[in-house]
Amino acid sequence: MLLLVAMLTWLPGTLPLAGSKWPMVAIVVLLFPIFGAALVRILLSGADRHSMWLAFRCLPGRLQAVLGALAISGVLVMLLSTAGAGSLQSPEIKDGRYFAFDTATHARGTIEVSHSEYEAILESDQRSMFAIPGMLFTGAAYAVFAAGQLRRADFGFRSP
């Protein structure tokens, strides 16, 4: 869902979530426990990367395709977002004027930008805000499914 919202930032206009802080709070509140549980599940399985990859390969083909498509779309969204973003980030409005932080090495600091630049920077920041956690959730899903497959294989191997 987060990757879909990240892709919606390329549509004309700004997302209605632009001024709200609650989406990021909800993402953080959900991301850390889910990603942490996935990491614990991997550690408890005791598997190495090769075993996890083999377990992933034993998952149903549709699930592999969905997880692969999510991972590839997340990477593409991030690559396309960073390619067009330039060195400006963290847009804000002060006294009716638009500002952004310039991270270029020669002119580091806050600069005034036009309204159109402000909207482009805002969309780029939103894209990253939704794409990065989306990719982390995809990684957590990969870990949980692969660890579950390993566990299922272990129980199947132990059965008489």
Side-chain angles (χ1 to χ4, degrees), residues 5-69:
V5 173
M7 290 178 198
L8 287 175
T9 60
W10 276 304
L11 293 176
T14 57
L15 288 176
L17 306 171
S20 339
K21 298 291 181 197
W22 70 266
M24 196 59 193
V25 171
I27 290 169
V28 169
V29 165
L30 291 172
L31 182 64
F32 284 114
I34 291 172
F35 199 74
L39 288 177
V40 166
R41 192 161 178 168
I42 288 174
L43 292 175
L44 291 176
S45 74
D48 60 350
R49 279 188 275 166
H50 181 67
S51 298
M52 291 296 285
W53 175 248
L54 291 175
F56 175 74
R57 301 275 316 261
C58 292
L59 290 171
R62 287 184 183 171
L63 182 59
Q64 289 180 21
V66 167
L67 289 175

Side-chain angles (χ1 to χ4, degrees), residues 135-150:
M135 289 189 314
L136 289 174
F137 277 123
T138 301
Y142 162 80
V144 167
F145 284 124
Q149 188 70 15
L150 282 172

Side-chain angles (χ1 to χ4, degrees), residues 46-99:
D48 60 350
R49 279 188 275 166
H50 181 67
S51 298
M52 291 296 285
W53 175 248
L54 291 175
F56 175 74
R57 301 275 316 261
C58 292
L59 290 171
R62 287 184 183 171
L63 182 59
Q64 289 180 21
V66 167
L67 289 175
L70 286 173
I72 289 169
S73 66
V75 168
L76 286 175
V77 166
M78 286 305 300
L79 287 176
L80 293 173
S81 177
T82 56
S87 63
L88 299 175
Q89 62 186 12
S90 303
E92 59 184 324
I93 301 174
K94 291 181 187 174
D95 301 325
R97 295 168 47 194
Y98 303 101
F99 294 93

